[in-house]
Amino acid sequence: MKTINKTSLLLALIILAIAFSIISMIAAPAEIRYSWHGLNPWNTVQAVPLMFKRFLKLDDWIIYSLSVLIIAYLWWRIYALINKFKRS
């Protein structure tokens, strides 16, 4: 089994946080868009379960589990892309 490159994993987490900040800034109203509240990546993390609640009528534990799995999957795919670019 391959070992996990810790610097790539940390870089992937930083890229994911930046992407969530951009999504949060785009979705925020114009009054708070460029404030800390508008740039806060946690807003996007909180919005993922709300999206599932709106479109899927499931129990809360399933919705939160899906949300955690999707965010972890995005993190892992960004990590894979970084490793792919580092090797080539």
Side-chain angles (χ1 to χ4, degrees):
M1 186 173 163
K2 296 181 182 178
T3 59
I4 295 175
N5 187 349
K6 292 178 184 171
T7 57
S8 295
L9 195 65
L10 183 62
L11 185 62
L13 180 64
I14 291 169
I15 290 171
L16 186 66
I18 291 170
F20 280 178
S21 293
I22 291 170
I23 292 170
S24 176
M25 189 175 69
I26 291 170
E31 298 84 26
I32 63 168
R33 185 166 292 157
Y34 299 107
S35 66
W36 169 244
H37 186 70
L39 292 172
N40 190 355
W42 189 248
N43 293 336
T44 306
V45 173
Q46 288 176 334
V48 173
L50 295 176
M51 177 193 64
F52 280 124
K53 280 184 181 181
R54 179 176 177 148
F55 295 111
L56 301 174
K57 305 299 182 208
L58 299 171
D59 290 338
D60 283 343
W61 70 273
I62 295 173
I63 288 173
Y64 288 115
S65 298
L66 281 173
S67 301
V68 168
L69 288 174
I70 283 181
I71 292 169
Y73 179 74
L74 287 172
W75 185 16
W76 189 253
R77 294 313 306 160
I78 292 170
Y79 168 75
L81 281 172
I82 290 171
N83 278 338
K84 183 178 179 182
F85 288 133
K86 282 177 97 174
R87 279 189 235 126
S88 60

